[in-house]
Amino acid sequence: MTIETHVIDPLKTKADILAIGLFAVEDRKKIVLTGCAKAADRMLDGALLTILKDEHFVGKLGEAAVTQPHGRLAFKRIVVIGLGPKNKYNANVVREVSAAIIKRAKQLKAKSVTLAPLPIFAGNMAGRRAIGEAIAEGAELASYQFTHYFGLKRQKEKEETVVQQLLLANATKSEAAALAVGVIDGQRTANGVMLARHQINTPAADMTPQHLVEAAQKIVAENKRMKLEVFDEQEMARRGMGAILAVAKGSVVAPAFIHLTYKPATSGRKARKVFVVGKGITFDSGGLSLKPTKHMDGMHGDMAGAAVVLGVFSALEALQPKVEVHGLIAAAENMPSGSAVKVHDIVRALNGTTIEIMNTDAEGRLVLADALSFAVKQKADMIVDIATLTGSVIEALGPDIAGVFSNDAKLVQALKEAAEVSGERLWEMPLVAEYDQFIKGRFADIKNAGTGIGAGSITGALFLQHFVDSIPWAHLDIAGPFWQSREMNSYSPIGATGYGVRLVLQWIKGLR
Ligand code: BES
Ligand code: ZN
Ligand code: ZN
């Protein structure tokens, strides 16, 4: 979608749709039109206000009323959209409003939209920039559709509902300039989210560890300050990454260990090393501890953490982070076969810890064990891992919220603040030290699953903690929000959400 910002009266533009935002009112009789809405209403002899009253429009967030200007303005339709209550107005609201407009435009098969200026918040220019970013994110993400595997006919049908142009009309040059800067940031972030969505939605046959390697190569080729290292099976064996190799050995598809590095331009002091680590299970059948059919659905998306790492890296360089950012992806397929790892096998992870395999379906923590150990060996200053790790976190927090576990209060605080801005929901879960006894090994140091004691997302996190030493670390369990079977908002369609890309980018932006 092209998003342009112009210094122009919105009523003087030409588009399929003119969209105007209105704050909520307590009583529909209290609706007062101001600015662009008022001017439009005047040109329509009061028809705009009439339809709002007739339709009992009260300006709830995302509520829409549609009217036709019948040739008096150069639009096919005017869409008035609710901004919700004035005291709750922020960037998350703007993202939702922008997405709701595009959704409505798609339904109306509109190709072009003019958006009248939205109210600003948080200071003039910074506020404009934030609005531009939120508008672009909402509009782009609401346009996303996974149509890659549609046949010609369905592909064509979908093309009819693509909004091609969004025009942001503005009063002054400086407003337009600030908005435009925000728009570029927002589009870049949205592209990262959509890259992740695409990879997660892609079936396992077409999204193997090798495909993740190729995606990483492409990103590195497009960014000057990045480099890439990939370990194959032999290299992993040579280094002693016994845990990921155990997971991979049941599959005919080869595993890969991917290490992306972004280095900031040299500043005075040495930049801190931040590691973002993603679980990259390209299909989780459960292995010999085979999942029942119902639970296997969606397991092509068990590489969502890896997709977040790639989405983040695709948008990273333009942000000019001050820190050195490393992206690690532990990619493998978890399959049952004659060569698969067995229950009661004992494996040795990269940091020397031995692991008793109680359940081959607890494979995410195994591949992460090696990746986290690797980050420690690389002298990480901070580690954040992202993984579709446990079904238990869905039991605890449901489909919309990720759990965060951490050994560092400041890190959690920073992640929570980033999530607040990005509009992705995050809830801190406890690393209950006493529960570590539930994963103490009988014949090895630890075991990969606690048996029948509940708290599965906590024991999963405690397992990972064995591989981070005392480095500040946070683990995001995104098993709930990586996928949606309903629309949780206007910019997250059914299927992969790309949860985590915006959050991690926002977090990195704040690091010094
Ligand atoms: N990939 C799954 C977790 C999952 C479940 C992600 C549902 C997304 C949606 C993970 O590998 C798994 O199977 N975890 C087990 C661990 C158990 C065997 C200790 C779980 O949570 O049931
Ligand atoms: Zn599993
Ligand atoms: Zn898994």
Side-chain angles (χ1 to χ4, degrees), residues 106-173:
K106 275 161 60 173
Q107 284 162 5
L108 296 169
K109 296 202 160 57
K111 296 269 172 270
S112 56
V113 177
T114 293
L115 178 57
L118 291 171
I120 56 163
F121 46 83
N124 221 335
M125 286 314 143
R128 282 276 166 218
R129 199 174 157 162
I131 288 177
E133 199 168 339
I135 290 173
E137 283 180 11
E140 295 285 359
L141 293 178
S143 308
Y144 173 82
Q145 283 174 309
F146 184 60
T147 56
H148 192 77
Y149 291 87
F150 282 177
L152 272 184
K153 183 156 172 278
R154 230 179 145 187
Q155 198 85 251
K156 269 233 168 69
E157 278 167 22
K158 283 295 169 193
E159 272 162 27
E160 279 174 26
T161 63
V162 174
V163 180
Q164 287 160 347
Q165 243 207 30
L166 176 60
L167 173 68
L168 312 181
N170 267 273
T172 70
K173 224 175 176 164

Side-chain angles (χ1 to χ4, degrees), residues 279 284 291 299 302 359 361 363 365 388-391 479:
K279 167 176 172 181
D284 182 11
K291 283 181 186 293
M299 284 303 118
D302 211 21
N359 187 325
D361 197 11
E363 83 300 336
R365 62 199 72 182
T388 46
L389 203 75
T390 67

